[in-house]
Amino acid sequence: MPESGGQDTQGPIPTTADAEPVEAPEPPKAAAATAALRRTSLLVTLVLGGLTALPPLSMDMYLPALPEVTDALRSPAATVQLTLTACLAGMALGQLVVGPMSDKWGRRRPLLIGMVVYVLATAVCAFAPNVELLISFRLLQGLAGAAGIVIARAVVRDLYDGVEMARFFSTLMLISGVAPVVAPLIGGQVLRLTDWRGVFVVLTVIGVLLTAVVFKWLHETLPVERRHSGGVGEALRTMGGLLKDRVFTGYMLAGGLAFAALFAYISASPFVVQEIYGASPQTFSLLFGLNSVGLVVVGQINGKLLIGRVSLDKALGFGLAVITLAATALLLMTSGVFGEVGLAPIAAGLFVLMSAMGLAMPNTNAQALMRTPNAAGSASALLGTSSFLVGAVASPLVGIAGEATAVPMAVVQLASAVAALLCFLLLCRPWQRGQQPLTGTAGEAAPQK
């Protein structure tokens, strides 16, 4: 069927080696169940939002406890840092496994299995006697927690299409944008009452509650008729087919590279704002919170005002252009082109860059997933894994020139933004496809020009 927002002549890709790029009509019973689940949109939003927020909670609640872990386990700081790397790697790689599993067995079973494993792994982390065991189970925690990320996106694709899907992604950004800000604050408060193990106890409780909510209220969204029957070979062929689709790959790379600019900000901003520009920890926390608010607000403007009036490609292109201009301004300021600048101009540039992510990130996800009606799990896995891996590569580059300059942060952000914009223009080629605003509802597509 034609996809909202316009397609090029390739159309949606096949999801198996021999499948035709045509989506089969949904059986009446499955369609009725899907429509009923859509009607509980607030509940679905809260459940999927909780699944989306769990990974940043798992990563960021733990950050204030790192020095205490180093002392308690008598391990070098570099070794304790591997507990973060292991969790991040698990979240990236786990999506490649869980995504195809959810296309074969449905969304509910892999999600519940992942949540149960997450709870058990997190509980073991709380009682880990040494850093080696902590690293191992942080890896398992990340692998299991990946189920929430990848399946949440796949469920959105199952339930919504066109304008509704794009709006739902913008709504999820409200939750995923707030979670990284709130998580360190929660972790800090937990550490006032207990030690670092208490952070994992709290995460275990959150995992148990979220598992119970998923079990009770999140029903299966992928009908049996639309599942894949193949094994690993078919999953690999499906992912290969997705990557061969030029437009899907363009959106995937554009989103991942934009995420790299975000990761560069997260990794470097504590040092840049506090050490180079002399801000207090309280000022840094305030600026970090304001930037997250900017991202959330622009995401809501995208979902509530722009979608349905402006094509996703236009909104996405504008967002990537603004990110590129903000990164250019930051590079010029940090490299001394305008002489000595204070914190205020740097903070303004970071605010603009972060806010524009509210246009880039939800729209790349929506446009990519609209091309894959029959392989949402595999597509979601590729989108998530690419973002985590590109972000993980970009993150250490921000400190490559030492502690006396913010230039590396700006260079990484500008390089990532330019590459994202080029991928969007050269691979997605939006001018070759319809540029009308999305007007379809779930199951409907706006007519293609």
Side-chain angles (χ1 to χ4, degrees):
M1 72 179 185
E3 296 289 341
S4 301
Q7 302 288 351
D8 70 356
T9 54
Q10 286 181 293
I13 66 164
T15 57
T16 64
D18 303 312
E20 293 295 325
V22 176
E23 184 177 6
E26 199 170 10
K29 186 183 228 179
T34 299
L37 194 54
R38 282 195 206 106
R39 285 194 292 271
T40 61
S41 57
L42 177 59
L43 181 60
V44 172
T45 301
L46 293 176
V47 174
L48 298 184
L51 294 173
T52 304
L54 189 60
L57 287 175
S58 301
M59 291 290 294
D60 297 343
M61 273 184 65
Y62 175 65
L63 292 179
L66 283 177
E68 187 177 325
V69 176
T70 301
D71 295 335
L73 299 183
R74 295 184 175 88
S75 299
T79 303
V80 174
Q81 286 283 351
L82 291 177
T83 60
L84 294 176
T85 304
C87 187
L88 183 63
M91 289 179 185
L93 298 177
Q95 295 183 64
L96 291 177
V97 177
V98 177
M101 285 173 57
S102 73
D103 283 337
K104 180 178 180 180
W105 292 319
R107 314 302 184 201
R108 183 174 163 85
R109 194 193 319 175
L111 177 56
L112 287 172
I113 292 172
M115 292 302 301
V116 170
V117 174
Y118 173 89
V119 169
L120 295 175
T122 306
V124 172
C125 288
F127 299 98
N130 55 62
V131 72
E132 291 79 15
L133 190 66
L134 182 59
I135 292 171
S136 300
F137 278 87
R138 282 286 277 175
L139 176 64
L140 182 59
Q141 183 192 40
L143 288 168
I149 311 173
V150 67
I151 292 180
R153 276 194 301 261
V155 168
V156 174
R157 183 62 185 96
D158 293 339
L159 294 178
Y160 301 101
D161 198 0
V163 61
E164 290 185 350
M165 181 170 67
R167 283 178 174 159
F168 201 96
F169 276 124
S170 292
T171 301
L172 283 184
M173 179 158 286
L174 175 63
I175 300 172
S176 61
V178 170
V181 180
V182 175
L185 300 177
I186 297 175
Q189 294 305 310
V190 170
L191 290 176
R192 293 182 63 181
L193 303 175
T194 182
D195 62 5
W196 65 272
R197 298 182 188 277
V199 174
F200 288 107
V201 172
V202 172
L203 286 172
T204 301
V205 173
I206 292 173
V208 169
L209 293 176
L210 193 53
T211 303
V213 169
V214 168
F215 180 80
K216 183 171 179 60
W217 283 299
L218 188 63
H219 305 296
E220 181 58 60
T221 60
L222 185 66
V224 174
E225 295 80 6
R226 292 177 55 190
R227 298 179 191 177
H228 296 182
S229 57
V232 175
E234 182 181 342
L236 293 176
R237 284 193 297 273
T238 298
M239 288 188 175
L242 289 165
L243 293 175
K244 288 178 183 176
D245 179 46
R246 168 177 52 78
V247 181
F248 173 85
T249 300
Y251 287 123
M252 180 188 74
L253 291 176
L257 289 163
F259 197 68
L262 176 63
F263 252 64
Y265 159 76
I266 293 173
S267 300
S269 61
F271 169 74
V272 169
V273 173
Q274 295 180 82
E275 299 298 326
I276 296 180
Y277 291 96
S280 66
Q282 292 75 24
T283 300
F284 166 72
S285 299
L286 176 62
L287 293 176
F288 194 91
L290 286 175
N291 289 340
S292 298
V293 169
L295 185 151
V296 169
V297 168
V298 173
Q300 296 311 294
I301 290 173
N302 177 70
K304 306 297 184 185
L305 299 179
L306 297 183
I307 294 174
R309 297 177 176 86
V310 179
S311 74
L312 293 188
D313 280 332
K314 285 183 178 178
L316 171 57
F318 180 76
L320 293 175
V322 171
I323 293 171
T324 303
L325 290 174
T328 302
L330 285 167
L331 180 58
L332 293 175
M333 287 188 289
T334 56
S335 60
V337 171
F338 301 128
E340 291 292 329
V341 298
L343 176 60
I346 298 296
L350 290 173
F351 178 81
V352 172
L353 185 145
M354 279 288 290
S355 297
M357 293 289 176
L359 293 176
M361 294 171 66
N363 291 332
T364 51
N365 282 335
Q367 287 287 64
L369 287 172
M370 274 193 281
R371 296 188 64 80
T372 58
N374 296 319
S378 296
S380 177
L382 288 174
L383 290 171
T385 300
S386 64
S387 294
F388 273 95
L389 291 181
V390 174
V393 170
S395 184
L397 297 179
V398 299
I400 200 169
E403 301 181 356
T405 175
V407 170
M409 177 192 73
V411 168
V412 171
Q413 289 175 329
L414 181 57
S416 300
V418 170
L421 192 56
L422 288 176
C423 287
F424 172 63
L425 294 175
L426 299 179
L427 296 178
C428 302
R429 302 176 191 174
W431 60 86
Q432 292 183 351
R433 295 175 291 133
Q435 290 295 313
Q436 73 282 354
L438 288 174
T439 56
T441 59
E444 297 177 1
Q448 184 174 348
K449 284 187 179 180

